[in-house]
Amino acid sequence: MLSAISRRVPGLALVIAVSGLAWIAERALTAAIGRPTLEAIVLAILIGATIRAFWSPAGSLRAGIALAAGFLLELAIVLLGFGADLQQFIAAGLPLVASIVGVGDAAIFTGIAIGRALGLTPVHALLVACGNAICGNSAIAAIAPVVGARKDEVASAIAYTAVLGVIVILGLPFLAPLFGLNDYQYGILAGLTVYAVPQVIAAAYPVSLLAGQTATL
């Protein structure tokens, strides 16, 4: 028990350090600009992605990082849900709820069709489509054993989803002025198209607080 905990301490310490740096950066930006701009969670994603691009963590760090990226992240998203008011969902209206279901279904079927057109096997195309339409790696991991996916298909589906996710996060904010969307409309677009909560936050909060709150809802 103690051995398992001690193996995770170095990686968790690194994650906490990145989180602390993001927290400091958020306050520094707010003080410099005079108003909130990027939240700490967005900065943490950007800092972590930048570090990972230039440095691969040692084996001693991976257990703690995996715990933070898995169970602790999922727990944080569940706790985030406690901040949501059921009345908000009711007030959002049936059309928005129907849109969530409709866009999710459309993304899966469209994703499968594109994957098949590009030469992916049916199982591989399904994994990539569900990863992008539902919630990334979690969806891929849940579906893979059900459809009998091979390990290489799972690994490449995760990679495809990660790359497409980065493209969407970076490119989506440019659609707001292009299509004349206000912050609320952009928040709905981001919430319907970006596949997971951390990515939704990264794509929406840089536009505005309203866009971020709407997209997260």
Side-chain angles (χ1 to χ4, degrees):
M1 179 67 175
L2 290 176
S3 175
I5 294 174
S6 63
R7 283 192 300 107
R8 291 172 169 81
V9 169
L12 287 174
L14 175 62
V15 172
I16 291 170
V18 170
S19 302
L21 181 59
W23 184 83
I24 293 170
E26 178 194 21
R27 276 145 185 78
L29 276 173
T30 301
I33 298 174
R35 61 181 177 81
T37 51
L38 296 178
E39 287 202 339
I41 188 169
V42 179
L43 293 167
I45 292 171
L46 296 176
I47 293 169
T50 302
I51 292 173
R52 186 64 181 83
F54 295 98
W55 174 67
S56 182
S60 60
L61 299 171
R62 291 176 185 170
I65 293 173
L67 177 63
F71 172 74
L72 293 182
L73 178 60
E74 292 166 359
L75 177 62
I77 292 172
V78 170
L79 293 176
L80 181 65
F82 284 112
D85 185 351
L86 185 59
Q87 295 300 321
Q88 287 182 299
F89 291 95
I90 296 173
L94 184 59
L96 182 58
V97 176
S99 296
I100 293 170
V101 177
V103 170
D105 288 345
I108 292 173
F109 289 114
T110 303
I112 291 172
I114 294 172
R116 295 292 289 136
L118 294 174
L120 300 183
T121 65
V123 169
H124 199 178
L126 175 64
L127 292 179
V128 175
C130 289
N132 284 279
I134 307 174
C135 59
N137 298 349
S138 298
I140 294 171
I143 292 167
V146 178
V147 297
R150 302 191 310 268
K151 288 184 178 180
D152 62 316
E153 290 176 325
V154 174
S156 62
I158 290 173
Y160 284 142
T161 301
V163 171
L164 291 171
V166 170
I167 292 172
V168 171
I169 289 169
L170 296 178
L172 200 64
F174 293 102
L175 295 182
L178 186 63
F179 291 103
L181 302 177
N182 60 37
D183 290 351
Y184 178 72
Q185 291 169 333
Y186 175 78
I188 292 176
L189 175 67
L192 288 176
T193 54
V194 184
Y195 66 75
V197 174
Q199 287 82 359
V200 167
I201 290 171
Y205 271 100
V207 172
S208 75
L209 181 61
L210 174 61
Q213 291 174 336
T214 304
T216 303
L217 170 66

